[in-house]
Amino acid sequence: MKDGSTDFIRVECASLYYGGGDDGVLALKDTNLTIARGEFAAVVGPSGCGKSTLLKLVSGLNRASTGKVVVDEADVRKPLKIVGMAFQNPALLPWRTTLENLLLPLQVAEPHRQQFRRERGRYVEQARALLAKVGLAGAEDRFPWQLSGGMLQRASLCRALIHDPQILLLDEPFGALDAFTREELWDILQQLWQDQHFTVLLVTHDLAEAVYLADTVHVFSNRPGRVVHRRAIDLPRPRNSDMRFSTVFVDHVHELRAQIRREREVI
Amino acid sequence: MKWRRALFTASPWITTIGFFLLWEIGCRAFNVATFVLPTPSDAFKALVDNWSGIWPNARHTMFTTLIGFGIAVVFGVVLGVAVGASALLYRSLNPLLVGFNSIPKVAVVPILVLWFGIGTAPAIITAFLVAFFPISVNVAAGIATTEPELEDVLRSLGASKLDILYRVGLPRSLPYFFASLKVAITLAFVGSVISETVAANEGIGYLMLTASSTFRVPLVFASLFVIAAMGILMYAVAAAFERRHTKWATRGLDQYGTG
């Protein structure tokens, strides 16, 4: 936690049913979770436990069936405009170049869309700077199908951040990448987060990823998901790949793994 | 490699000419009567001899087909966008659309004649009726398959349904749309010619009907050639449009020379 101020994101006793009636699926049950402003939080758990559902609740794309989600002291009732999102599927528009893909949020989100035509030059500069920061300088005018998986994911991260969101929601963004690329992207993400001070909620099934990046790791139970364990990761920043083999780091991962195994046994 | 490339380029000509050669040789070898199956050379001769009669009819058919096709494009796109963007509309209209498309359009022509009389109108409408369906199905598919992740990203930015349609759905459906044009334009010819053979006093279909009723079979085949040629021409135009506007979707094909 960076400044230790009051909770920025609060999920209070939230449950979510998909579908209605008796055949509806209970995806989340009485989930409680708090994240401070500027904190890097990770959620881990068995697959299909409702982790992604949690992101939808926090972003306001879905509303909780019971309980509530509070962001910045206000109930979340509709999609929040202060979030950026990135998924395992980079989902860039294939007919746009990397640069044009980055401009998409600015063409859609208020207040940028009003001034997009007038300020296009400034926005383009902003996008180029962000791309350069993640090592994509030179790829601005290439199309998504000309980029590698790691480059696509970098571009997807940039698209999530171009409008300067206060919250970054990540749903297994590095899940489909090879190990080397993944570790590279961990460092890029850590760097971006340290520079720009947004709040992150990262959903992942990679425990090492969670420990490497997060201040706090929340362990989810089997479906219907809820948080069963919360673990503060007190490793110093910036973290680097050497730390991954330190005893402290490995202990954290082991503990988390044991927690999840316990969850999987209780069905 | 140079050889393979030349073969690749020439292959459509080789197969087409080969087809006509086989036909010609087969007819001559088995001594097939002209009123059963004329040789292609007979048909071409009839084409040249009767050109002054064929040309106005061909022009008329082209005209009817293009008008019907034009209406089909407008209507098909509007319907496709509506159905693709709204799950409710899709669900409610689907049985009607599929049912309607299953009706052989030749069965509809008499009704159209009843309403509009013999002539150009039934041909235009038949061309339209046959051609709009593939267009709307394709456009709807393109829009409906927008990645859910992308929709989440945009919705969380405060995008309206219309924003998502405009920024993602429509550009995404363009390759589907252009692909469907190629199908629709050839279907439109089928529609207009069918109608002309049933109820018209002009057009290639009408010409074929009169020619076959007087056993001028080479002229019938000459008319078929004309229809095929017009179909190929319009298909090529649609394909050229497709290549120009959706480079991003066909990038892999460039190296194989899709010309």
Side-chain angles (χ1 to χ4, degrees), chain A residues 56 59-62 79-83 85-87 89 91-96 104-105 107-110 113 143 145 159 163, chain B residues 147-160 163-164 166-173 175 247-249 251-252 254:
Chain A
K56 293 217 169 187
S59 66
L61 289 172
N62 281 357
L80 291 175
K81 289 168 192 173
I82 54 163
V83 303
M85 304 177 94
F87 305 85
N89 173 4
L92 299 178
L93 301 176
W95 55 89
R96 288 184 173 218
L104 176 69
Q107 290 173 309
V108 168
E110 303 284 0
R113 66 186 294 166
F143 286 91
W145 44 274
R159 185 182 60 189
H163 60 298
Chain B
E147 289 113 318
E149 289 95 343
L150 206 48
E151 236 167 287
D152 282 353
V153 166
L154 289 171
R155 276 179 59 210
S156 73
L157 291 166
S160 64
D163 284 332
I164 298 177
Y166 175 66
R167 298 284 179 197
V168 184
L170 290 183
R172 211 193 128 68
S173 68
K247 278 213 182 77
W248 59 270
R251 72 250 173 189
D254 289 349

Side-chain angles (χ1 to χ4, degrees), chain A:
Chain A
M1 291 184 204
K2 285 208 153 171
D3 47 2
S5 60
T6 52
D7 299 324
F8 184 46
I9 301 173
R10 250 188 0 252
V11 179
E12 291 175 2
C13 215
S15 302
L16 187 97
Y17 279 100
Y18 280 121
D22 294 334
D23 51 349
V25 178
L26 183 58
L28 278 184
K29 191 179 180 227
D30 302 336
T31 303
N32 286 294
L33 185 87
T34 57
I35 302 170
R37 193 184 283 273
E39 183 181 342
F40 198 128
V43 170
V44 297
S47 55
C49 69
K51 297 176 302 229
S52 305
T53 307
L54 179 71
L55 287 193
K56 293 217 169 187
L57 283 189
V58 173
S59 66
L61 289 172
N62 281 357
R63 285 197 63 185
S65 309
T66 60
K68 63 175 177 176
V69 178
V70 180
V71 171
D72 206 6
E73 305 297 328
D75 278 14
V76 176
R77 294 173 189 281
K78 54 178 188 173
L80 291 175
K81 289 168 192 173
I82 54 163
V83 303
M85 304 177 94
F87 305 85
Q88 180 168 347
N89 173 4
L92 299 178
L93 301 176
W95 55 89
R96 288 184 173 218
T97 61
T98 313
L99 185 71
E100 287 165 347
N101 262 295
L102 245 66
L103 296 179
L104 176 69
L106 302 172
Q107 290 173 309
V108 168
E110 303 284 0
H112 306 288
R113 66 186 294 166
Q114 303 296 340
Q115 56 206 37
F116 185 80
R117 264 161 216 255
R118 235 177 321 123
E119 302 275 347
R120 191 185 165 99
R122 187 167 63 83
Y123 285 138
V124 167
E125 279 321 301
Q126 210 174 311
R128 281 182 187 280
L130 189 54
L131 283 170
K133 221 169 180 177
V134 302
L136 281 183
E140 292 93 344
D141 298 324
R142 286 207 253 159
F143 286 91
W145 44 274
Q146 295 170 314
L147 303 182
S148 67
M151 293 166 94
L152 287 173
Q153 208 48 260
R154 285 170 210 227
S156 174
L157 262 183
C158 288
R159 185 182 60 189
L161 291 172
I162 186 73
H163 60 298
D164 243 334
Q166 297 181 43
I167 303 174
L168 178 63
L169 300 175
L170 300 171
D171 193 350
E172 297 189 8
F174 313 130
L177 302 176
D178 65 88
F180 292 112
T181 312
R182 186 155 57 222
E183 285 169 28
E184 250 172 63
L185 278 162
W186 290 353
D187 287 332
I188 286 173
L189 176 58
Q190 176 173 243
Q191 191 62 51
L192 286 168
W193 171 71
Q194 288 195 312
D195 291 351
Q196 302 189 14
H197 308 295
F198 42 81
T199 307
V200 187
L201 180 53
L202 165 74
V203 162
T204 177
H205 54 241
D206 183 341
L207 300 180
E209 180 172 296
V211 173
Y212 190 82
L213 288 169
D215 298 318
T216 320
V217 179
H218 304 265
V219 178
F220 252 55
S221 70
N222 260 312
R223 183 174 278 240
R226 74 205 146 74
V227 178
V228 289
H229 181 75
R230 182 175 175 281
R231 187 170 192 84
I233 310 293
D234 44 8
L235 296 167
R237 302 269 184 190
R239 295 170 187 167
N240 57 51
S241 51
D242 291 336
M243 265 185 225
R244 291 193 47 209
F245 306 98
S246 69
T247 341
V248 194
F249 190 99
V250 175
D251 283 349
H252 276 304
V253 175
H254 271 291
E255 284 287 325
L256 287 170
R257 178 156 294 142
Q259 280 288 343
I260 289 179
R261 191 163 298 143
R262 234 167 287 154
E263 274 314 309
R264 287 171 61 107
E265 282 160 6
V266 191
I267 293 183

